[in-house]
Amino acid sequence: MVFPAGISSTDRFDLRIDAQWVLPVEPAGILKAHTLLVRDGTIAGLHPTAELPPDLEAARHVRLMAHVLMPGLVNAHTHAAMTLFRGLADDTHLEAWLQEHVWPREAAHVAPGFVYDGTLLAAAEMLRGGTTCCSDMYFFPDDAARAFDQAGLRALVGMPVLDFPTSYAGDADAYLKRGFEARDLWRQHPRLRFALAPHAPYTVGDDTFSRIAVFANQLDVPIHTHVHETAKEVEESLARFGERPLERLRRLGIGGPELIAVHAVHLQPEDIEILARAQANAVHCPSSNLKLASGIAPVAALRKAGVNVALGTDGAASNNRLDMFEEMRLGALLAKARSGDAAELAAHDVLRMATLDGARALGLERQIGSLEIGKRADVIAVSLEDLDSLPCYDPTSHLVYVCSRRDVSHVWTDGECRIQDRQLVHLDAAELARNAGSWQERIQQ
Ligand SMILES: [Zn+2]
């Protein structure tokens, strides 16, 4: 017998999730009492539960009767391994933070083991908080990739490039060579993609940016870079090059849909125009921008101009959480305050920024970012049964203004359960804690 959903009781699925509410993101709106069906890691159906055969079988059947099911969150900018520097130097402005605290510690400690352990800790934190995909930028991307693979997180792994030597590479040639070697090693991985990740306009010279533009074009990979983060960065660019950073990047061939422009805080209308014309992407990192006193990005103006704006946490050294629920709430509140319009960045808009718009920024919008048939089953469940969440008139607004990452009960990537009843399924939490403690001892010395 075929039921209204077009599914017969003899159809077989790997996973069936019945949920009180489903927020597919695309189309907008919330569905009540629906069931998501997964086969081979792909979303195979989304139907009213009542229209399915009651005896429809799946290898696993999860019932979430006080939860919202939604796409996994996309953290469009982080430095995962820097979780090992969490809280190391707070209440300091960006230049001093980098020059006096971060860079000397990186010189002393950053090596493959540090990156693997730090990235694994970050991946566990992100999964527990409902993030299923991140765009990462750090040294030793091969070791970051190993950790993402181990954790089951999806990632756009940055191939870092700077024009000064570090423990990872001596010059731009060496950075690029090591990055491409890592990319080649992981080329067939189902959840890992690579991006060119020049650090910032103040650490990368013209020649290197030009070469990166050529590589990005030839290989069709995104360019993930910090840009227009502080007023000082823009002033120094004007003094040194006679151009604002985005103007300079455009002259050097960087300024198309491949550009993931992180921060984009200090923007004039002409900068916004450059991003909009290029169909480039901006990543808003509200906590990091506030904590380092960089400023508040003009998110409403960017969106109005047609720029795709994603959300990111930045690294745990400058946030200090990899918590996309925090970024959603803060992003929505700041957009209202900065624009003077309480209707700006409504709950659904900010949920879309944290999912589908993030996926689009990373070039993954065909694979993830919404609960649409044919997309990969990167899905999270958020519980609304906590006393602090009651009553609930509008689950969409609750997700942004009420819920926290502690309400994430289940997480799947590619249909594989990574978090069940708030617990890590594949990773050993006790071992992660032991490793974090042993790094703390070494870094504190
Ligand atoms: Zn950053």
Side-chain angles (χ1 to χ4, degrees):
M1 175 178 175
V2 174
F3 279 73
I7 285 174
S8 115
S9 55
T10 56
D11 288 341
R12 291 288 178 272
F13 297 94
D14 299 321
L15 174 65
R16 164 184 178 163
I17 312 169
D18 302 341
Q20 178 68 15
W21 293 283
V22 177
L23 182 99
V25 172
E26 181 65 48
I30 194 138
L31 308 168
K32 200 154 190 253
H34 269 59
T35 292
L36 188 87
L37 298 167
V38 176
R39 189 188 286 128
D40 299 330
T42 298
I43 296 172
L46 177 59
H47 307 282
T49 307
E51 293 182 13
L52 290 171
D55 57 344
L56 181 71
E57 280 190 35
R60 296 198 57 199
H61 187 174
V62 183
R63 294 172 184 84
L64 301 167
M65 291 307 143
H67 301 68
V68 185
L69 206 61
M70 62 173 285
L73 301 168
V74 177
N75 181 353
H77 177 65
T78 192
H79 311 281
M82 292 183 88
T83 40
L84 294 179
F85 292 143
R86 190 197 320 268
L88 184 70
D90 291 333
D91 309 322
T92 307
H93 60 82
L94 179 65
E95 288 77 21
W97 179 77
L98 281 173
Q99 289 165 17
E100 292 165 27
H101 300 285
V102 174
W103 287 341
R105 250 101 177 196
E106 286 186 334
H109 296 288
V110 173
F114 174 98
V115 171
Y116 177 78
D117 287 347
T119 304
L120 202 60
L121 184 63
E125 180 182 358
M126 285 192 269
L127 285 171
R128 279 161 49 91
T131 294
T132 53
C133 176
C134 75
S135 178
D136 188 44
M137 178 198 286
Y138 208 61
F139 307 104
F140 300 98
D142 176 36
D143 300 284
R146 277 198 299 128
F148 290 131
D149 170 57
Q150 170 86 8
L153 201 79
R154 193 178 302 280
L156 181 68
V157 183
M159 300 179 276
V161 186
L162 290 103
D163 267 325
F164 64 80
T166 60
S167 59
Y168 170 65
D171 58 21
D173 279 338
Y175 281 95
L176 286 164
K177 184 168 175 288
R178 292 199 76 163
F180 287 133
E181 282 169 0
R183 178 173 174 266
D184 285 346
L185 275 173
W186 294 95
R187 190 181 283 274
Q188 304 299 329
H189 195 283
R191 283 185 310 278
L192 300 178
R193 296 284 177 276
F194 281 72
L196 285 151
H199 173 261
Y202 53 92
T203 50
V204 177
D206 279 11
D207 285 353
T208 303
F209 268 128
S210 296
R211 291 174 62 203
I212 284 171
V214 172
F215 282 128
N217 197 2
Q218 284 174 347
L219 303 172
D220 193 24
V221 292
I223 299 176
H224 175 193
T225 191
H226 300 100
V227 71
H228 287 240
E229 180 173 1
T230 63
K232 192 172 170 215
E233 173 198 331
V234 179
E235 281 160 26
E236 284 184 355
S237 177
L238 282 166
R240 210 168 132 199
F241 303 102
E243 292 162 310
R244 299 170 66 76
L246 278 169
E247 267 183 305
R248 179 174 157 236
L249 290 186
R250 184 174 60 175
R251 171 173 58 79
L252 298 170
I254 296 174
E258 80 287 356
L259 175 60
I260 305 171
V262 177
H263 296 309
V265 173
H266 292 273
L267 300 177
Q268 298 290 340
E270 61 266 31
D271 302 318
I272 295 177
E273 178 71 23
I274 288 176
L275 289 171
R277 282 226 184 120
Q279 296 180 287
N281 310 279
V283 182
H284 183 34
C285 301
S287 294
S288 174
N289 297 154
L290 290 177
K291 184 158 182 285
L292 294 170
S294 303
I296 300 171
V299 171
L302 282 163
R303 286 168 52 85
K304 221 156 267 164
V307 178
N308 179 51
V309 184
L311 267 181
T313 59
D314 214 344
S318 68
N319 183 311
N320 302 357
R321 311 171 182 183
L322 308 182
D323 179 354
M324 288 292 289
F325 279 84
E326 173 85 6
E327 303 307 317
M328 285 197 290
R329 186 168 192 271
L330 204 48
L333 299 181
L334 287 176
K336 295 171 198 312
R338 172 145 190 183
S339 65
D341 179 1
E344 188 58 50
L345 214 59
H348 187 270
D349 296 331
V350 80
L351 283 160
R352 192 182 161 103
M353 275 173 71
T355 52
L356 191 53
D357 294 348
R360 185 175 152 203
L362 275 48
L364 296 173
E365 73 273 26
R366 287 201 196 91
Q367 285 92 48
I368 56 163
S370 57
L371 301 185
E372 293 178 89
I373 291 171
K375 284 197 173 182
R376 301 304 292 165
D378 289 7
V379 183
I380 66 172
V382 184
S383 166
L384 299 181
E385 64 194 334
D386 194 276
L387 203 56
D388 298 346
S389 297
L390 300 176
C392 177
Y393 303 105
D394 179 353
T396 305
S397 107
H398 258 46
L399 286 170
V400 175
Y401 299 117
V402 178
C403 294
S404 79
R405 62 178 173 177
R406 309 256 181 252
D407 296 312
V408 174
S409 64
H410 293 70
V411 174
W412 294 265
T413 59
D414 282 337
E416 279 279 317
C417 189
R418 310 290 177 186
I419 300 288
Q420 184 172 358
D421 297 320
R422 297 189 176 83
Q423 302 301 316
L424 289 159
V425 175
H426 295 108
L427 298 178
D428 181 343
E431 192 186 334
L432 288 169
R434 272 196 304 278
N435 268 342
S438 105
W439 278 108
Q440 182 180 343
E441 277 176 26
R442 272 180 266 178
I443 290 165
Q444 258 172 343
Q445 279 173 1

